[in-house]
Amino acid sequence: MRGKRIHFFLPLLMCFIFTTSWAKINEKDRFSKAGFWEVPNSGRINYNFNIGWRFIKGNAANAYLSDFDDSQWDVVNCPHGLELITTEASGSNNYQGVAWYRKHFSVPQGAQGKVMKLHFEGVMGKCKVYLNGEKIGENYGGFLPFNVNLTGKLNANGKNVIAVWVDNSDDPDYPPGQRQDNLDFSYFGGIYRDVYLVATNSVYITNAIEAKQVASGGIFTHISQLDDKKATVDALINIQNDNSKNQSVTVEAILKDKEGKSVAKSKKRLTLKARTSANYKTQFGVSNPDLWSPWSPDLYRLEVRVLGRKGNVLDGVASRVGIRKIEFKGKQGFFLNNKPYPGKLIGANRHQDHAIVGNAMSNGAQWRDAKLLKDGGCDVIRAAHYPVDAAFMEACDELGLFYIVATPGWQFWNDKPIFKQRVYRDIRNMVRRDRNYACVLMWEPILNETWYPNDFAKRAHEIVHEEYPFQGAFTVCDSHARGQEHFDIIYSHPYKSEFYRKVQDKTAENFKRLGFNYADEDRCVFTREWGDCVDDWSAHNSPSRIQRNWGERAQLIQAKHYANPDYIYTSWEGLYDMPAQHVGGTLWHSFDHQRGGHPDTFFGGITDIYRQPKYSYYMFASQRDVSKDNAPMVYVAHQMKPISEEDVTVFTNCDEVRLIVYEQDTLVQKVANYNQKMPHPMVVFKDVFDFIDVKNLHRAKKQSQASLVAEGLIDGKVVARFKRMPSKKPTQIVLSVEDKGKGLVANGSDFVCVVASMVDKDGIVRRLNREVIRFEIEGEGEIIGDESVMANPKRLEWGTAPILVRSTLKAGKIKIKASVYDPGMHKPAAGELVLESMPSSEAFIYSEIGKESIGAKELVNKQSSNEELQKEVKRLKKEISVLKLKEIERGQEQFEGGRE
């Protein structure tokens, strides 16, 4: 929460602590399955179908046939990418083409005779699904879920084979449509999200996307009335009868609070006609509701059961409900729960890729991303540039992160009718999937940075409101895009004449051109991407694009650029200098990420691609006000190295900072004296550090005095403390697990980051050490990747080396050892860590268990060995690469310049 200060004097903190209040969630119920949360004894069974897929990268003739010999293929678990990647996997070097997955299974005893549907959360690109040699479904687009119906086609008492043909190669006929070598992110590929086999009785609650009903299907909840003392929750429940005869049922709905107590109930008898569905519409009155907000993300649980004539449960599912009201009131700004929002909505964009695994992230990893961003001071995340995994949306609901949902698209339009139809389909499906999430702030149904037709823009806006025809749905697009007049909110950079009067240069002129005059606009404004500041769209040099291992000077440049640079550019300061009408903005970008259209990895994240923080992460975190849920913090962004700055920068959310230098000099700065608009300016102590002073203390045997101690004060009292000392001789490797408080689940898919840090005898990280670290593992886990993707062994960068550790299906202890690659008498000692995975409560279907394959077998055409031909091919590829990069530059410059 920003803009409102609550003083709590907590016990003195020896360092900074990030704490966040979030709804009480049973670990078993943390993630939904196939679109719903489970209800006990409901008659519905959600089988985890992730484990034991046969996989081959490349095409294989007749691989859809049930008797096809796949015995030589690798065995993998989902979520699964087509390949593991290095941390430098940009420049369109990922595999692009066909691959196959095959899974052998038998129908479990408890599922026989039921309606059986396979639910894919996401398969990248286009795919075809076969059961026992028969094609039963296909899908175009890799970012939204789809079902295939297996009912009546399974061998109930024998073996079955699901075969999935996938293809992530370029195809302009479905969105995003952009060629990957032109793309500012990467598609990667594979069955990269979860798969479930859902077994229900013949009367069941439908899946909203599969039902294909406007503003209906599944469960649809919204808040129709909200005041200080009461809220009204509306629910529309769609029930399908697959029987050949009419069915008389009773629908029972119970709304429960965060403690699991029932707060409202409803019940009604329905007659369902044969082979059709019907809706049950109901309302719940909630007195003195616990309202959802970023600082108090309380969630209710709506449980729905369908009962037969004799009271037997035919089906049951649950959905979460966050009681909240959002309003965008033009010049008055953003209102939450009938009150003006305190401060600005600031956060970051997020692509879904991760080091080594690409897009194939587990639910746990999705949740940890959200927790990391919440702890890092973000209150809103924008989709870049597609619907995200449902697990991330659920984490946003749980942790209190607003989310801007976007349809797949990036700088590409195709005039073919099929392309537009598929975009419209995606818009409907993203609303149907995400409409119940309390975190949804805006809907972005357009194609990012694309010159689409005006009639498309108008229709995209209309479809959102058709699918969500109630208060609380707001569409957004760029202020200078075609059809922007149809939308509820506009994207733009901040523009206020007083702000730009400071500097008259080309940067300011660019902002004036992309911005607007607030006097001429009645809608609310949001900045979708701020922070990136490239010299041109070929070189991509920017003060924002800083690799973590470039060290403290570079990281400070990035942090200052994001906070309040000396030049005119959108920043924390710039956004807070805007009127209430400009409600906030999202940084480009949260994490470092890969992209196809440029050889460099994007390094503008506030963390690296492993999610290791840079200085700018702590600067972001310091912008969150002290409250009962957010502790005071102070962080010294200085390493006391021979190459360190003379100035000492401190990030804090306190009123003033006391800096104690070498246990002698005490310097004090009041934050208010900076006279800035951002919540908590960076505090800089000028000309404080000189390495010769450190040297002299060490030579005088006074090493313990060589320190910088920052104390954060509120109302004159010390509430936070941070001590920085220079590192000494490296003596030990220390291992830590970065699970953000959510342990590793033994489901064969979940993974956590384990970090090896090189430290001295006092535990201080030796930032400039560059040893190569070898990792070993035993027990119920495996290291993802090896030397082929530079995952293990791994060189220390900025004093640390991270690896990813994946669980098995058996809960238990995992022992990890890290040692230097080249041992010797004076080399640092090895480090060990034992962590324990938690048992999974899921029901699994598998006949074999996958182990991560590094060298996945590929079917490739043999290339000619003619040397001259190879040279010519190489020359032509280089020419094509140059032309494509120039095409990307032109596209970015044209959109930025408002030209077609």
Side-chain angles (χ1 to χ4, degrees):
M1 181 166 59
R2 302 188 179 93
K4 184 165 69 175
R5 172 67 65 82
I6 305 173
H7 287 177
F8 292 86
F9 294 106
L10 304 171
L12 181 66
L13 302 177
M14 294 307 291
C15 61
F16 61 90
I17 297 176
F18 302 132
T19 61
T20 305
S21 172
W22 63 83
K24 294 180 180 179
I25 302 295
N26 185 314
E27 192 63 41
K28 181 179 177 181
D29 297 325
R30 188 172 294 277
F31 302 114
S32 66
K33 297 179 177 66
F36 296 109
W37 278 265
E38 292 182 308
V39 171
N41 304 313
S42 66
R44 174 182 292 236
I45 309 173
N46 297 301
Y47 294 101
N48 182 312
F49 213 65
N50 285 336
I51 308 303
W53 289 82
R54 289 274 169 179
F55 168 72
I56 195 165
K57 188 165 65 173
N59 205 359
N62 300 320
Y64 66 94
L65 296 174
S66 58
D67 59 354
F68 180 86
D69 182 9
D70 56 18
S71 60
Q72 298 304 305
W73 291 13
D74 293 308
V75 183
V76 300
N77 299 338
C78 296
H80 180 262
L82 299 183
E83 61 200 336
L84 300 181
I85 60 173
T86 72
T87 56
E88 303 288 338
S90 289
S92 196
N93 70 349
N94 60 296
Y95 175 80
Q96 298 168 29
V98 170
W100 281 90
Y101 293 84
R102 287 169 55 88
K103 183 177 172 84
H104 301 258
F105 69 102
S106 299
V107 179
Q109 191 68 33
Q112 292 186 5
K114 287 182 175 286
V115 173
M116 303 281 282
K117 295 183 180 181
L118 203 55
H119 179 87
F120 292 91
E121 287 189 348
V123 180
M124 185 50 67
K126 53 195 175 191
C127 69
K128 300 173 186 177
V129 183
Y130 301 84
L131 172 63
N132 299 329
E134 177 188 353
K135 182 181 173 184
I136 57 172
E138 63 181 3
N139 190 64
Y140 290 85
F143 302 101
L144 285 160
F146 64 95
N147 282 5
V148 290
N149 196 342
L150 313 184
T151 310
K153 300 181 176 68
L154 290 160
N155 297 320
N157 299 309
K159 298 293 183 180
N160 295 275
V161 180
I162 289 285
V164 184
W165 171 92
V166 301
D167 184 1
N168 71 329
S169 59
D170 297 338
D171 189 333
D173 287 345
Y174 67 90
Q178 181 63 271
R179 295 198 323 263
Q180 294 180 67
D181 57 14
N182 263 18
L183 199 63
D184 200 39
F185 54 101
S186 293
Y187 296 148
F188 296 117
I191 305 178
Y192 75 102
R193 292 180 182 169
D194 291 320
V195 189
Y196 293 98
L197 183 61
V198 183
T200 67
N201 292 310
S202 54
V203 173
Y204 56 92
I205 297 162
T206 61
N207 173 280
I209 290 178
E210 186 181 35
K212 297 181 181 178
Q213 297 183 23
V214 175
S216 181
I219 296 177
F220 189 177
T221 60
H222 72 279
I223 313 304
S224 59
Q225 182 267 337
L226 177 65
D227 58 33
D228 293 339
K229 296 183 179 180
K230 186 178 180 179
T232 302
V233 180
D234 288 19
L236 187 68
I237 302 154
N238 187 247
I239 304 155
Q240 174 73 29
N241 175 22
D242 274 354
N243 291 293
S244 58
K245 295 181 180 180
N246 295 351
Q247 297 288 313
S248 178
V249 301
T250 299
V251 184
E252 178 183 86
I254 305 173
L255 188 66
K256 297 181 177 181
D257 65 15
K258 60 185 177 183
E259 304 294 340
K261 298 178 182 177
S262 174
V263 297
K265 296 181 180 180
S266 72
K267 183 184 288 189
K268 185 177 181 180
R269 291 193 65 82
L270 289 179
T271 298
L272 304 175
K273 293 183 178 180
R275 311 285 186 198
T276 61
S277 69
N279 285 328
Y280 168 46
K281 186 176 182 179
T282 187
Q283 281 189 335
F284 304 95
V286 182
S287 299
N288 302 312
D290 295 320
L291 302 183
W292 188 96
S293 69
W295 49 90
S296 183
D298 291 309
L299 293 171
Y300 290 76
R301 175 180 167 99
L302 176 61
E303 293 186 358
V304 180
R305 291 177 175 84
V306 182
L307 310 177
R309 283 182 176 272
K310 298 180 180 180
N312 55 308
V313 180
L314 300 176
D315 194 19
V317 298
S319 180
R320 287 180 182 170
V321 179
I323 298 179
R324 60 99 175 103
K325 182 180 181 181
I326 59 173
E327 299 172 277
F328 290 91
K329 294 188 174 184
K331 297 188 185 302
Q332 296 180 64
F334 175 57
F335 280 59
L336 176 62
N337 300 329
N338 300 316
K339 297 176 182 178
Y341 192 79
K344 300 291 186 184
L345 279 166
I346 307 292
N349 286 262
R350 176 184 178 265
H351 275 305
Q352 64 185 4
D353 64 306
H354 193 288
I356 306 300
V357 298
N359 292 342
M361 293 179 64
S362 66
N363 289 339
Q366 300 281 353
W367 188 93
R368 294 178 194 105
D369 266 10
K371 185 66 165 63
L372 181 67
L373 292 171
K374 183 66 177 181
D375 288 350
C378 294
D379 282 334
V380 57
I381 305 299
R382 174 180 175 248
H385 305 282
Y386 39 76
V388 75
D389 193 300
F392 189 84
M393 300 293 292
E394 291 159 14
C396 288
D397 260 12
E398 180 183 333
L399 298 170
L401 276 165
F402 277 117
Y403 198 81
I404 301 172
V405 183
T407 195
W410 193 84
Q411 291 190 7
F412 180 82
W413 178 258
N414 186 340
D415 285 328
K416 287 184 180 180
I418 188 64
F419 182 80
K420 184 188 293 187
Q421 292 166 16
R422 286 172 173 163
V423 176
Y424 290 157
R425 176 209 62 187
D426 282 351
I427 297 170
R428 291 194 184 278
N429 287 345
M430 78 173 185
V431 176
R432 290 167 183 172
R433 193 197 72 163
D434 294 345
R435 64 197 180 191
N436 290 342
Y437 292 120
C439 64
V440 174
L441 182 70
M442 308 174 202
W443 301 95
E444 186 184 315
I446 47 80
L447 309 173
N448 184 69
E449 297 179 356
T450 299
W451 291 113
Y452 41 74
N454 187 299
D455 67 304
F456 163 79
K458 182 174 184 293
R459 187 67 189 126
H461 163 83
E462 291 171 345
I463 288 173
V464 171
H465 286 286
E466 288 173 4
E467 292 290 344
Y468 200 116
F470 308 109
Q471 191 282 331
F474 298 92
T475 61
V476 61
C477 79
D478 285 321
S479 62
H480 57 289
R482 286 177 180 166
Q484 57 82 21
E485 65 273 12
H486 304 297
F487 286 73
D488 304 312
I489 304 165
I490 56 170
Y491 285 141
S492 181
H493 281 281
Y495 171 61
K496 193 166 72 171
S497 58
E498 307 93 86
F499 184 59
Y500 291 110
R501 198 174 292 141
K502 301 175 187 175
V503 177
Q504 295 297 323
D505 63 6
K506 188 174 180 181
T507 300
E509 292 302 318
N510 284 343
F511 273 98
K512 288 180 181 181
R513 174 171 46 75
L514 288 175
F516 60 95
N517 193 326
Y518 289 103
D520 301 330
E521 180 57 61
D522 293 325
R523 292 169 292 182
C524 281
V525 183
F526 189 89
T527 301
R528 61 174 168 83
E529 297 174 17
W530 61 270
D532 205 19
C533 183
V534 298
D535 49 0
D536 60 56
W537 292 109
S538 174
H540 285 207
N541 297 309
S542 170
S544 66
R545 301 191 183 195
I546 301 297
Q547 199 166 2
R548 179 175 171 271
N549 64 4
W550 293 350
E552 60 187 293
R553 284 177 180 253
Q555 291 186 46
L556 280 168
I557 288 171
Q558 184 195 56
K560 182 174 175 57
H561 173 72
Y562 288 159
N564 186 16
D566 297 328
Y567 38 88
I568 301 301
Y569 218 73
T570 307
S571 61
W572 274 92
E573 179 70 11
L575 288 166
Y576 264 84
D577 197 28
M578 296 301 105
Q581 183 179 3
H582 200 121
V583 300
T586 42
L587 176 78
W588 189 264
H589 180 271
S590 55
F591 311 129
D592 292 354
H593 70 88
Q594 309 297 349
R595 59 244 182 90
H598 198 277
D600 292 342
T601 298
F602 178 83
F603 293 125
I606 58 177
T607 81
D608 70 9
I609 202 164
Y610 276 99
R611 284 38 174 177
Q612 297 182 106
K614 306 175 189 176
Y615 281 167
S616 54
Y617 178 86
Y618 301 109
M619 184 278 291
F620 262 66
S622 71
Q623 301 310 301
R624 198 181 295 287
D625 287 344
V626 176
S627 71
K628 64 182 179 65
D629 295 316
N630 299 302
M633 69 158 284
V634 63
Y635 180 87
V636 178
H638 197 284
Q639 298 296 324
M640 302 184 71
K641 298 291 182 190
I643 58 175
S644 295
E645 299 272 1
E646 295 176 353
D647 299 344
V648 174
T649 300
V650 178
F651 307 134
T652 186
N653 59 0
C654 299
D655 294 338
E656 58 183 301
V657 177
R658 179 190 297 158
L659 186 69
I660 304 168
V661 183
Y662 310 139
E663 297 185 358
Q664 296 174 348
D665 300 327
T666 300
L667 310 173
V668 178
Q669 288 203 37
K670 290 184 179 293
V671 177
N673 291 343
Y674 281 80
N675 194 30
Q676 295 179 13
K677 303 290 187 179
M678 63 187 291
H680 304 286
M682 294 167 54
V683 177
V684 180
F685 292 87
K686 293 285 187 180
D687 299 323
V688 169
F689 177 76
D690 188 334
F691 179 74
I692 299 304
D693 296 334
V694 173
K695 172 190 172 183
N696 292 337
L697 285 170
H698 278 226
R699 293 296 178 92
K701 307 300 182 183
K702 297 180 180 179
Q703 289 95 333
S704 63
Q705 293 183 27
S707 65
L708 297 172
V709 177
E711 294 177 337
L713 292 84
I714 295 178
D715 292 342
K717 296 183 179 181
V718 176
V719 293
R721 193 170 190 266
F722 189 101
K723 185 175 184 178
R724 178 75 75 190
M725 297 186 74
S727 60
K728 305 173 187 66
K729 181 178 71 175
T731 61
Q732 175 79 38
I733 299 170
V734 173
L735 292 169
S736 60
V737 57
E738 303 300 322
D739 63 4
K740 305 304 295 181
K742 177 176 170 51
L744 183 67
V745 178
N747 59 13
S749 303
D750 197 15
F751 66 83
V752 293
C753 184
V754 173
V755 178
S757 299
M758 183 65 72
V759 302
D760 65 12
K761 64 183 179 62
D762 298 315
I764 299 170
V765 178
R766 183 78 169 174
R767 293 295 180 189
L768 302 185
N769 188 285
R770 284 179 50 79
E771 289 274 10
V772 176
I773 305 299
R774 184 196 305 276
F775 295 90
E776 301 169 76
I777 192 167
E778 59 183 70
E780 298 303 328
E782 61 176 334
I783 297 171
I784 304 178
D786 65 2
E787 66 276 4
S788 67
V789 289
M790 295 181 282
N792 181 31
K794 190 167 186 63
R795 184 178 295 279
L796 292 166
E797 294 184 345
W798 197 233
T800 62
I803 58 168
L804 302 183
V805 173
R806 178 186 282 129
S807 66
T808 66
L809 286 176
K810 181 181 177 182
K813 292 183 178 180
I814 305 169
K815 182 179 178 181
I816 304 153
K817 180 180 178 180
S819 56
V820 295
Y821 189 80
D822 293 316
M825 181 182 298
H826 297 297
K827 290 287 189 175
E832 289 188 359
L833 172 73
V834 176
L835 61 93
E836 191 159 356
S837 59
M838 303 182 299
S840 173
S841 61
E842 294 185 275
F844 293 85
I845 294 179
Y846 62 91
S847 60
E848 50 193 339
I849 302 173
K851 278 285 188 180
E852 185 57 49
S853 171
I854 303 305
K857 301 171 182 65
E858 300 180 35
L859 299 180
V860 296
N861 294 322
K862 291 184 178 180
Q863 297 182 354
S864 168
S865 60
N866 185 293
E867 192 171 320
E868 293 302 317
L869 177 60
Q870 295 301 312
K871 287 181 180 179
E872 180 65 12
V873 169
K874 188 175 182 180
R875 184 188 68 79
L876 289 172
K877 282 183 177 180
K878 187 173 182 179
E879 285 187 10
I880 292 170
S881 177
V882 171
L883 290 171
K884 286 177 178 177
L885 285 173
K886 289 186 179 296
E887 184 180 338
I888 297 169
E889 294 165 33
R890 285 195 299 272
Q892 192 72 49
E893 289 168 354
Q894 287 173 359
F895 192 85
E896 187 181 69
R899 304 187 304 275
E900 300 181 25

